[in-house]
Structures are given as structure tokens and as C-alpha cells.
Amino acid sequence: MARDLLPMVRQMLGDRYAVDREIGHGGAARVFGARDTAGRRVALKILHPQLVASVTADRFLREIHLVSRLDHPLIAQLLDYGEEDWLVYCVMQYVEGPTLRQHLTRVTRLSISDTFRTAQDQLDALGYAHGLGIVHRDVKPDNIVLSPGGAVLLDFGIAKAVAESGTDRLTRSGFAVGTSAYMSPEQIAGSDEIDQRSDIYALGCVLFECLAGRPPYEDPFEDLVLRMHQQAEVPDVRSFRKDVPDTLASAISRALAKERTERWASAAEMRSALLTGAVL
């Protein structure tokens, strides 16, 4: 599919972007490296053609427009978005560096200090976005880039825009907004009220994996992973890694609480607790 899509993307957007090659893909979009007319490197995200059939394009674009308000050094900036015939796209700032997923594939686990810095960066970014009423909904290692300036969060707004613009056909297709290893219990339950605490839960899963070398819940069968998020006891990361400081372990455990009311109320609250209590 990617071999067929690349020439189409070049044909439709070639007057605005010099499209190089495909550099990644996820559940909602294919990602192409490109340069804009000023020569700036960008990440061109093309909504999967199969998904476009189940999404109302103008509503998707209205939702993604909200993300253009985000202006934070640890959030990849939305630069452009639109529709060309059947092609629905958005253009993001290109962030130099490996994703956290790529880094974990190489090293398996992060040091305590690197995990702490990643937590601070992500909580800073999330706190800023949540203050504007914007929830990510798909925080995961693949959406975090370890750039020279810090851990940058990618793809703000895409998951929500897909969810909000989906038709009944999207629901029937079984498309899930989120990634099973990092989805909060309320996302799995299909709640209409997803707030900042779902992002905090997902980040708790990410930080757990950074320290333990595995997410909090693992199983070959995705349905069982989803059930564990909803029903299984919250694991203690120290059972996988004894050198994790109590403050960091406790912060992650609270982020992973099944009930939203038992989690950190905000990213700022969790960040402040780590800053004042962590011993590295």
C-alpha cells in the first residue's frame, strides 16, 4: 500500500511539499518525510485511506485545528492540515532523534535519572496541553521523541480528531483510539468522558516500561491485556527493579489507579510530587 500511496501523495501535495519517503506508520496514519517550500523538514501524516471512509473529513479537520493552539517546546507543533480529494493530511514539525520505542528496543530499560527526566518533560508538556483543554489520548513510547532538547510528545490531537469525527461505520470496524498496552480503563470501556487522567494513566504505563523493560500488563492476547487494565491488581515496578526510588514507584502506582479519582488530579500535581520527593 505504501508503494502506491507515495506517488499519489507527491502528485496531490507536490506544489507545497517535496515528499521524500515513508518514515513511519501507526493505527491512524502513514507518515512521510518532506520539506516545505522554505526547505524546512516536516512530518507529513496521511490518514489511512481505509480510515477516511469511516471519518467525516471536515469534522476531523475542525478537531485537528484545535491543536494549532499548542505552542510548547516539548510538543511537536501542528503546521498545516487539509484535504485534497480523498487525501486527509496534517503536517507536524519534524523532531530530530529516536523515539522512546526505538531507544527501548536498543537498551531495554532506562536509567533512573533518564526515566525521571522523561517523566518531567512529559508531565510538563501534558500539563500545558491539559490547561488548554486538550487531551492526547495516545501517549506511548512511539509518540515520544528523545530530542537533544528533551522528550518531545508527538501526535497531539490526532487520536481525538479521529474519535470525534468517526461515523457509525468506524465504530463497527472496531477501530480503537489508543494502544492496548497504554490504554486507561475508561478508554477501554468506551467512556465518552476522557480527561487528563487518561493521559496520566498512559504515561504511568510508559514510565513503568522505562524502568521495568516491559509494560505493566503483558499477554500475547490483546483482549487479556485490556481486561488486565480494567481488573488486574496494579503491579509494583519495584518487583521488576529493586533500585527504583520509593517516590518514583509510588507516583507511577498512583498514576495507574483503576479509578480516575484515585490518580493524580493533574500532570502538574504529579510533576510537583516528583520534583520535591524524588531522590536520584
Side-chain angles (χ1 to χ4, degrees):
M1 186 64 189
R3 289 195 300 271
D4 295 330
L5 191 57
L6 180 57
M8 295 179 188
V9 173
R10 284 174 171 162
Q11 180 180 357
M12 293 181 183
L13 298 175
D15 59 333
R16 278 172 286 171
Y17 298 100
V19 184
D20 179 21
R21 59 187 174 85
E22 184 175 8
I23 58 175
H25 60 87
R30 291 190 180 276
V31 188
F32 296 85
R35 292 189 182 273
D36 63 13
T37 54
R40 177 175 52 176
R41 286 188 79 183
V42 297
L44 176 62
K45 298 180 183 288
I46 307 295
L47 214 62
H48 283 308
Q50 304 95 313
L51 193 56
V52 171
S54 305
V55 165
T56 306
D58 59 345
R59 192 171 174 188
F60 174 87
L61 296 173
R62 284 199 302 273
E63 288 290 334
I64 204 72
H65 168 72
L66 298 175
V67 184
S68 63
R69 294 182 292 158
L70 296 177
D71 184 12
H72 188 281
L74 296 174
I75 296 176
Q77 188 176 9
L78 175 68
L79 303 172
D80 188 17
Y81 52 91
E83 180 186 13
E84 291 287 341
D85 296 330
W86 55 269
L87 202 71
V88 178
Y89 67 92
C90 57
V91 181
M92 298 280 188
Q93 167 195 4
Y94 181 83
V95 182
E96 195 71 51
T99 65
L100 178 57
R101 166 61 60 224
Q102 291 168 332
H103 188 58
L104 285 172
T105 298
R106 289 196 297 268
V107 303
T108 305
R109 304 189 309 184
L110 299 189
S111 67
I112 301 298
S113 58
D114 283 348
T115 302
F116 182 78
R117 280 192 292 270
T118 299
Q120 294 295 325
D121 286 349
Q122 291 301 288
L123 289 165
D124 189 10
L126 288 170
Y128 167 79
H130 295 162
L132 295 176
I134 300 175
V135 180
H136 192 289
R137 294 197 185 200
D138 196 18
V139 177
K140 59 185 178 182
D142 309 74
N143 281 338
I144 298 170
V145 173
L146 304 178
S147 79
V152 178
L153 189 53
L154 309 180
D155 284 4
F156 244 108
I158 291 182
K160 181 178 186 295
V162 169
E164 295 295 330
S165 61
T167 64
D168 289 343
R169 180 174 176 177
L170 178 66
T171 303
R172 292 195 302 270
S173 73
F175 177 82
V177 176
T179 304
S180 60
Y182 314 96
M183 287 177 72
S184 67
E186 60 269 22
Q187 282 179 286
I188 295 167
S191 172
D192 292 330
E193 299 180 1
I194 302 299
D195 63 18
Q196 74 278 0
R197 291 168 293 183
S198 284
D199 283 348
I200 290 170
Y201 183 94
L203 181 60
C205 293
V206 170
L207 297 176
F208 188 105
E209 184 173 355
C210 287
L211 294 167
R214 48 152 286 175
Y217 305 111
E218 273 191 327
D219 194 275
F221 296 99
E222 186 174 35
D223 286 350
L224 291 181
V225 174
L226 297 177
R227 190 179 306 166
M228 284 189 280
H229 279 294
Q230 294 179 299
Q231 300 175 2
E233 183 178 348
V234 177
D236 187 337
V237 70
R238 288 167 295 191
S239 64
F240 297 92
R241 185 167 175 178
K242 298 187 183 303
D243 64 336
V244 177
D246 290 350
T247 302
L248 184 54
S250 297
I252 292 171
S253 291
R254 183 170 171 184
L256 293 177
K258 305 298 183 193
E259 295 295 330
R260 285 183 288 186
T261 55
E262 296 177 6
R263 295 177 207 150
W264 299 100
S266 68
E269 182 186 24
M270 183 175 175
R271 188 172 189 271
S272 177
L274 287 174
L275 277 173
T276 56
V279 179
L280 301 180

